[in-house]
Amino acid sequence: MGTSYDPHFLGDRHPVYLPQLLGDTAKGSLSGGQVFDFCHFAIVMSKQTRFAIFSAACVDKSQAVPVTRDNTSWHFDERIGMENQVGPEYYAENDYDRGHLTRRKDVCWGDVQEARQANYDSFCYANISLQHHNFNTGIWNCLEDWVLERVRTQRLIVITGPIHKAEDEEYCGVRGKPGCAVKVPFGFWKSVFYVNEGQQLTCLSFLIRQSTDRSINRCEYERLVTYQVPLGTITKEAQLQFDDSLYEINPLVSKLGVTRPAFDQPAPVIKRILQPGDIELGSK
């Protein structure tokens, strides 16, 4: 059976260690930020929100195995506990999808047994977040496809998670009572790490907000903004500290000549993404 998250997945010269939790993210984490291992990915949970703080996956496109999605694999992870996961009642009879953080197809690789286990693991409620149907099937899915379209290397590390704001709306399900303390995430972030053709480690990071307003094109939504950002923006929005070396390998950083900001200082949000060609890959 394949391993969980491997920081040396892109090679010993290019380690990508899981980020450390900061501030309120650390205070609200489950079991002190314990890492829960799954097949080809790992999750750190928030006890406060009952969603993942982040989900980190190792992706090998060269070993992809097609596994049919059957929608019967939804389950709670016993190690995390049902009380620490947002369950099916929050996704019933409404417009919210059970949105995967680590994408199912991304971890379906290796031998057949591995791929099937990874497929099943991806349906754990710990890897799921409240995503409006239009968002989940539209721009979020499009962004994932666009990144894979532009990044041609076979191995990637993809770390993703929700963004929470103080003003996030509480949602207790169609039949739930107010006071459940489950909040609809304001948006989501994604960081993709890979070794480019020049054998340099590269990081692409994105922020995207949710919206219920749909336009004709499924990849475009009114008032929905997708940005490619420096990794420092993820630190600010998600309260996560990555290894210092990873802040300098984003193509946007070299363009602006900026470095990682202090935690309490904003990092620039500088490039809007409307189509695959807008993604800045930097030099090869």
Side-chain angles (χ1 to χ4, degrees), residues 61 143-153 156 191-206 228-229 248-255 270-273 275-284:
K61 295 188 287 185
L143 176 61
E144 292 172 326
D145 287 340
W146 291 348
V147 170
L148 293 180
E149 177 182 330
R150 292 298 311 280
V151 178
R152 300 301 177 88
T153 56
L156 307 97
S191 290
V192 180
F193 301 87
Y194 64 98
V195 178
N196 66 17
E197 294 177 7
Q199 299 305 302
Q200 297 175 322
L201 184 62
T202 303
C203 167
L204 309 178
S205 294
F206 304 90
Q228 183 177 358
V229 298
E248 308 301 324
I249 61 174
N250 189 307
L252 299 180
V253 171
S254 59
K255 273 200 162 188
I270 64 171
K271 187 160 187 181
R272 188 170 182 176
I273 304 300
Q275 57 187 348
D278 292 337
I279 297 174
E280 177 63 50
L281 298 181
S283 59
K284 295 181 179 180

Side-chain angles (χ1 to χ4, degrees), residues 83-259:
E83 70 279 8
N84 296 313
Q85 299 165 78
V86 174
E89 65 272 23
Y90 291 87
Y91 303 93
E93 302 177 62
N94 58 32
D95 291 328
Y96 287 108
D97 285 354
R98 292 174 282 196
H100 281 65
L101 294 176
T102 282
R103 190 157 76 154
R104 182 188 72 88
K105 292 188 295 184
D106 284 354
V107 291
C108 290
W109 59 269
D111 61 38
V112 173
Q113 183 182 3
E114 279 181 78
R116 288 176 176 171
Q117 183 64 53
N119 176 73
Y120 176 78
D121 286 356
S122 76
F123 283 92
C124 173
Y125 280 106
N127 186 46
I128 305 301
S129 187
L130 281 167
Q131 292 185 350
H132 191 276
H133 176 73
N134 293 343
F135 174 89
N136 182 41
T137 60
I139 192 66
W140 180 247
N141 184 65
C142 290
L143 176 61
E144 292 172 326
D145 287 340
W146 291 348
V147 170
L148 293 180
E149 177 182 330
R150 292 298 311 280
V151 178
R152 300 301 177 88
T153 56
Q154 297 300 307
R155 286 197 163 202
L156 307 97
I157 284 175
V158 182
I159 308 178
T160 188
I163 299 170
H164 295 280
K165 302 285 188 181
E167 62 270 22
D168 286 348
E169 175 190 0
E170 181 183 68
Y171 182 73
C172 299
V174 172
R175 307 187 187 284
K177 297 180 179 180
C180 64
V182 172
K183 302 290 187 68
V184 179
F186 169 85
F188 295 86
W189 62 272
K190 183 184 297 290
S191 290
V192 180
F193 301 87
Y194 64 98
V195 178
N196 66 17
E197 294 177 7
Q199 299 305 302
Q200 297 175 322
L201 184 62
T202 303
C203 167
L204 309 178
S205 294
F206 304 90
L207 290 179
I208 183 170
R209 60 157 292 185
Q210 292 209 74
S211 171
T212 60
D213 299 314
R214 186 167 189 169
S215 68
I216 296 175
N217 187 328
R218 72 185 184 90
C219 290
E220 297 177 4
Y221 292 83
E222 295 177 8
R223 301 200 305 273
L224 188 67
V225 180
T226 305
Y227 286 112
Q228 183 177 358
V229 298
L231 188 61
T233 303
I234 308 301
T235 288
K236 176 179 179 292
E237 295 290 344
Q239 297 188 10
L240 296 171
Q241 176 71 50
F242 292 82
D243 187 83
D244 282 347
S245 64
L246 300 181
Y247 290 92
E248 308 301 324
I249 61 174
N250 189 307
L252 299 180
V253 171
S254 59
K255 273 200 162 188
L256 285 184
V258 298
T259 57

